[in-house]
Every structure is written in C-alpha cells, then in structure tokens.
Amino acid sequence: MACEVHDRVIQLLISSCRLIESTKQAGTDSPQMNKSLNEINDTILKTIAECRLITKQLYPSVLSEGGLVSVITEELSALKLTGMSAELTTDKTAPIPKPVAEVLYRIFHEAIWNAQRHSKASHIDVILKIVENGVRLAVIDDGCGFNLYKSLQSGKFGGLKSMRRRAELMGGSFNIESEIGKGTSIEVFIPFSVG
C-alpha cells in the first residue's frame, strides 16, 4: 500500500515536471503556455490532495477519536462532494478492536479509491456488520466492472492483492466479485480474535 501511494504521488510530480518543460518550449504569452500553466496548477493541487491522503492513510487519527463508523461516514460524505452518491448501512454497537478497525479502514479506503479512479461508479454501498466472532465489511459499487481473472493475471490491480493480504494476515477472508457492466463487490471478514 505504501509503495502504491508513493507511486501515485511520484506520477503526479513527474506530470508537473513534464508540463513545466512543455511550457518552457512554448515560449511566453502564448495560449499553449496559459493552458500548460493551468494544467500545472491543477496537477500540483492534486499532488497536495494526494499528500494529505497519504498522511491520513499512514495514521487515520479519527479511528482513535470517533471509531471506524465515524471515519467511514466522513469519507463517504467527502465522496458525495464529487457527485458520487454513497450509503453506509451498519448495526455496529460494540466497539471494534483497534487492530481490526485499522485493517478494515485501509481496505475500505482502497476500495473506494479504486471505485473513484477506475470504475466510473455513480453509487457506492458500504455495509459494516458485527457478527458473532468478528466484523464483516462490504463495499459495492455500480461501476463498469472488470474481468477479475485477467486483471489479477496482468498485475495491474496491486491494490486488490494488498487488500486480500491485509485480511489474510489478520486471519480473515477477502472476496471480490466483478463483472463488466455490472459493478464490483468486495467483502471482508476479520475475526475479533486478532484484536
């Protein structure tokens, strides 16, 4: 995950550098220069937002302040500002052990990041349920979906492998279903025994 986040920031910075070079070559006071400068500005703003996201990913302090439901609610509210609708369904009444909450948060965050970046989804449903011996989290989007087998074979979706690895390291399970044109569903179970 850290490597993937690092790569996202590096790519944004490389894009900024290329835009600056293209601006230098365009000369002064040309329409192309103005366009490039606007693109540079946008790219730098995206880089700043990505850096803030990295900080949050490294230590989601709201987990200790308000708990998992609070941080999920906050991120889904922010998602709505982008035009995507989102809904959380939860029956959480008991506290979730911190190690379990941290892993679920990171998987949730990666899932909504993927939905924003790749799926062209207009709606995301998040379900968080306490079960007898642990917690279940589902993230379901109505996006374009993808061929799961081909994607995993190509190695393009390292985030999926990262989510699975996180769940399995906690003694849990991870399941993903996706079909082209029918969206993607991710379901995770983490037992309380690790908390």
Side-chain angles (χ1 to χ4, degrees):
M1 175 68 143
C3 183
E4 185 181 341
V5 171
H6 175 266
D7 289 345
R8 294 196 309 246
V9 174
I10 292 299
Q11 287 304 315
L12 287 167
L13 292 171
I14 288 170
S15 294
S16 295
C17 292
R18 287 182 181 151
L19 287 167
I20 290 167
E21 284 305 313
S22 126
T23 303
K24 287 179 189 172
Q25 291 172 5
T28 57
D29 217 18
S30 71
Q32 177 60 39
M33 185 177 88
N34 290 332
K35 182 181 176 207
S36 294
L37 288 172
N38 286 335
E39 288 178 16
I40 291 168
N41 186 58
D42 290 345
T43 304
I44 290 170
L45 289 173
K46 285 179 187 171
T47 306
I48 292 166
E50 189 71 26
C51 289
R52 288 180 179 147
L53 182 62
I54 290 168
T55 304
K56 195 169 192 178
Q57 285 178 328
L58 291 174
Y59 185 72
S61 59
V62 277
L63 278 178
S64 23
E65 294 165 12
L68 185 59
V69 170
S70 175
V71 74
I72 287 175
T73 302
E74 181 183 309
E75 291 208 20
L76 292 182
S77 293
L79 198 60
K80 290 175 186 176
L81 298 175
T82 69
M84 192 182 292
S85 64
E87 187 174 342
L88 170 64
T89 303
T90 184
D91 62 356
K92 184 197 149 323
T93 51
I96 297 173
K98 188 176 177 183
V100 174
E102 285 180 359
V103 167
L104 288 172
Y105 166 73
R106 294 190 192 291
I107 292 170
F108 155 79
H109 188 81
E110 182 69 32
I112 64 165
W113 168 259
N114 287 343
Q116 280 182 282
R117 191 172 183 197
H118 303 294
S119 80
K120 300 177 183 152
S122 61
H123 182 78
I124 294 179
D125 281 307
V126 178
I127 302 163
L128 182 69
K129 300 275 184 184
I130 303 288
V131 292
E132 186 178 330
N133 53 351
V135 187
R136 287 198 181 281
L137 170 73
V139 180
I140 305 151
D141 72 56
D142 67 350
C144 60
F146 59 95
N147 183 313
L148 183 59
Y149 178 77
K150 283 185 180 176
S151 298
L152 291 174
Q153 291 301 317
S154 72
K156 285 182 182 176
F157 288 84
L160 296 178
K161 291 179 181 176
S162 169
M163 287 188 276
R164 179 181 302 281
R165 188 169 48 250
R166 285 181 188 280
E168 290 173 351
L169 285 171
M170 297 292 282
S173 61
F174 176 88
N175 184 54
I176 179 164
E177 293 178 12
S178 189
E179 191 176 334
I180 292 172
K182 295 190 177 178
T184 301
S185 171
I186 290 170
E187 187 171 332
V188 182
F189 167 75
I190 306 290
F192 280 142
S193 56
V194 298

